[in-house]
Amino acid sequence: MKENILVAYDGSELSKKAVREALTKESANSESRVHVISVIKPTGPFTNQKISESIGTELAENYRSELAAIKEEFKTVHQPIITDVLVSNREGNLGHKICEYAEQHDIDLIIVGNRGLGNVKKFFLGSVSNNVAQHAKCPVLIVK
């Protein structure tokens, strides 16, 4: 059975573990397809749009390089991995962009890393993995 698996990648050890988990699942099902995406939020001073865009562009290029390395590392063993860097708007949680991608690409499973924030920090900062778990229309695997 064909299965589309989405991994949200932010460069952390837990997101690398999430990639490995997706590739393990893909190995078990030759019809699976793995998507690895990074979502960035433009940062920088709100008053200087050019600086904010420059920072966002630099972040996107860094993620593109990391995703290209992941794609290259696993291409001989696995199906080609689909990678993308998405830019989110300044407001809101990055999890919404992940869920949006999942819906647009008929994703069957989303795998995200858990940053391990405590309840108080989650309340104040928001958690991407929590947001994805609450809003995704498909199963979500949170890697610890």
Side-chain angles (χ1 to χ4, degrees):
M1 176 173 81
K2 184 176 181 191
E3 181 179 40
N4 286 312
I5 302 168
L6 173 62
V7 178
Y9 181 83
D10 66 3
S12 69
E13 285 306 313
L14 286 173
S15 68
K16 291 174 184 176
K17 188 174 178 182
V19 169
R20 289 190 299 274
E21 179 67 26
L23 294 172
T24 299
K25 291 186 173 302
E26 183 261 346
S27 293
N29 180 353
S30 63
E31 294 183 44
S32 292
R33 182 48 88 29
V34 175
H35 299 243
V36 181
I37 64 166
S38 294
V39 181
I40 61 166
K41 186 183 285 194
T43 60
F46 290 104
T47 57
N48 191 324
Q49 185 65 27
K50 288 290 182 196
I51 291 175
S52 180
E53 287 175 13
S54 175
I55 292 170
T57 300
E58 187 175 330
L59 282 171
E61 286 307 313
N62 287 341
Y63 279 123
R64 280 189 187 96
S65 295
E66 287 187 48
L67 294 177
I70 290 170
K71 196 175 202 176
E72 184 67 26
E73 180 180 353
F74 294 104
K75 79 176 186 179
T76 58
V77 182
H78 300 277
Q79 301 259 354
I81 296 172
I82 299 165
T83 61
D84 203 357
V85 177
L86 310 175
V87 179
S88 184
N89 61 16
R90 286 185 183 269
E91 297 83 34
N93 190 295
L94 299 178
H96 289 295
K97 197 74 169 175
I98 295 166
C99 292
E100 185 180 284
Y101 181 96
E103 287 181 44
Q104 292 170 349
H105 293 87
D106 296 320
I107 299 298
D108 300 299
L109 174 66
I110 301 172
I111 304 177
V112 294
N114 176 10
R115 288 184 36 204
L117 298 176
N119 289 335
V120 173
K121 286 187 180 179
K122 272 190 215 177
F123 177 76
F124 288 111
L125 299 176
S127 165
V128 173
S129 58
N130 184 49
N131 186 286
V132 170
Q134 296 301 313
H135 295 99
K137 294 183 178 169
C138 63
V140 177
L141 173 61
I142 300 175
V143 177
K144 290 184 163 198

